[in-house]
């Protein structure tokens, strides 16, 4: 299946939902649920290039910074914990405890130490995103076939070569699963952190529209947030297909053989 065809299939349901929304809301007289035509008009008037540069770009920079730091920390710690049984037994209860704490609850606490600047928002994203990456990396490393590890040891593949040529490729699908889960969490936390204390950003702007009863503009911000999430998900899928090309080929071969 070509990339163009995949994009067509991915966009089909959103298009159907938008058409349904347009038809069902066409005669709406509700102040809080205006017609989609009014929302789209507000979208064009609100999200100009200057507004995107002032509000959306800072949000995306925080998102990417937090997601990148969480990815590096999660994979690195996950490899260390997954490869060391004693370290895993020691840290696992603590990791499960912190993983169970909803990141939004810690926003006021983080504000006390990091202030209300960009640092606080990045820390919130990192704290929420690191857990699925870390735990999936641990499980991926633990699931590496012992026969593969013994074969590598027999051929004296040790140290960094063992890590990069054997363990990381074998744990790759599980690590990518954690990265995919963390991406959706990062988008949510980006918005939540901007709703608490901010002077710009997509979450801040949506809240300002809501407080000033600019309802079509508020809905336009929500639509923009959904479009950003959709675009980031597509980009991640394309990257995933490229990184795990060997894995997809293996699954396809197994499917044909079965």
């Amino acid at each position: 299946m070509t990339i163009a065809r995949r994009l067509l299939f991915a966009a089909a349901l959103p298009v159907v939902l938008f058409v349904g929304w347009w038809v069902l809301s066409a005669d709406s007289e509700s102040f809080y649920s205006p017609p989609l035509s009014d929302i789209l008009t507000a979208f064009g008037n609100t999200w100009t290039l200057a507004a995107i540069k002032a509000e959306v770009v800072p949000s995306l920079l925080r998102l990417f910074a937090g997601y990148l730091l969480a990815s590096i920390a999660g994979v690195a710690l996950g490899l260390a914990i997954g490869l060391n049984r004693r370290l895993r037994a020691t840290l696992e209860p603590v990791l499960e405890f912190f993983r169970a704490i909803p990141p939004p609850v810690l926003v006021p606490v983080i504000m006390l130490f990091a202030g209300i600047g960009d640092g606080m928002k990045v820390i919130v994203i990192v704290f929420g995103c690191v857990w699925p990456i870390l735990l999936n990396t641990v499980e991926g490393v633990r699931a590496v076939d012992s026969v593969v590890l013994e074969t590598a040891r027999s051929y004296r593949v040790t140290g960094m070569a063992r890590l990069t040529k054997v363990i990381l490729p074998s744990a790759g699908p599980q690590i990518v699963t954690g990265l995919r889960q963390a991406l959706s969490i990062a988008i949510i936390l980006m918005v939540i952190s901007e709703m608490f204390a901010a002077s710009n950003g997509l979450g801040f702007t949506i809240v300002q529209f809501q407080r000033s009863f600019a309802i079509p503009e508020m809905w336009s911000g929500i639509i923009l947030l959904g479009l950003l999430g959709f675009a980031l998900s597509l980009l991640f899928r394309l990257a995933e297909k490229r990184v795990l090309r060997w894995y997809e080929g293996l699954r396809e071969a197994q499917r044909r053989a079965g």
Side-chain angles (χ1 to χ4, degrees):
M1 187 181 296
T2 64
I3 294 178
R5 196 171 179 183
R6 289 174 185 168
L7 291 175
L8 179 62
F9 275 109
L13 181 58
V15 170
V16 171
L17 292 176
F18 261 76
V19 171
W21 187 2
W22 181 286
V23 173
L24 293 175
S25 67
D27 299 325
S28 175
E29 297 180 358
S30 171
F31 177 76
Y32 297 103
S33 301
L36 181 57
S37 57
D38 293 351
I39 296 173
L40 294 181
T41 299
F43 188 100
N45 295 331
T46 302
W47 300 108
T48 61
L49 186 60
I52 290 174
K53 184 177 180 181
E55 307 297 342
V56 180
V57 171
S59 293
L60 291 177
L61 291 176
R62 295 167 192 143
L63 170 68
F64 291 142
Y67 184 73
L68 180 61
L69 290 174
S71 300
I72 295 172
V75 172
L77 290 173
L79 288 172
I81 296 170
L83 292 171
N84 192 313
R85 187 176 302 174
R86 292 182 180 178
L87 185 62
R88 183 167 65 248
T90 302
L91 294 181
E92 198 164 25
V94 178
L95 295 178
E96 291 295 336
F97 171 80
F98 281 109
R99 184 177 72 92
I101 300 175
V105 174
L106 294 177
V107 172
V109 179
I110 295 174
M111 286 173 59
L112 293 176
F113 298 97
I116 60 174
D118 290 344
M120 178 273 289
K121 300 169 183 62
V122 171
I123 291 172
V124 170
I125 295 171
V126 171
F127 185 85
C129 293
V130 73
W131 307 112
I133 300 172
L134 190 154
L135 295 175
N136 275 280
T137 302
V138 171
E139 292 305 315
V141 172
R142 290 180 62 186
V144 176
D145 194 341
S146 59
V147 176
V148 174
L149 294 176
E150 288 299 326
T151 302
R153 187 178 294 110
S154 299
Y155 282 96
R156 297 182 180 180
V157 179
T158 59
M160 189 58 66
R162 178 172 176 265
L163 180 64
T164 57
K165 302 297 184 182
V166 179
I167 295 175
L168 275 176
S170 298
Q174 194 80 13
I175 295 173
V176 170
T177 299
L179 291 170
R180 188 189 309 115
Q181 294 171 354
L183 180 60
S184 60
I185 295 173
I187 296 172
I188 295 170
L189 293 178
M190 174 196 75
V191 176
I192 291 176
S193 64
E194 292 173 349
M195 288 180 173
F196 274 86
S199 58
N200 61 9
L202 190 52
F204 168 79
T205 305
I206 292 173
V207 169
Q208 292 301 109
F209 286 146
Q210 181 264 333
R211 289 174 179 172
S212 61
F213 295 96
I215 303 302
E217 288 76 10
M218 180 195 73
W219 279 109
S220 74
I222 295 172
I223 290 175
L224 179 59
L225 181 61
L227 291 174
L228 286 175
F230 180 71
L232 290 174
S233 177
L234 283 180
L235 289 174
F236 187 91
R237 285 187 186 182
L238 293 175
E240 179 183 359
K241 293 289 185 182
R242 191 174 187 85
V243 172
L244 297 181
R245 188 184 311 168
W246 65 271
Y247 180 68
E248 295 296 331
L250 178 62
R251 290 180 60 185
E252 183 64 26
Q254 291 175 341
R255 191 180 299 114
R256 290 178 179 176

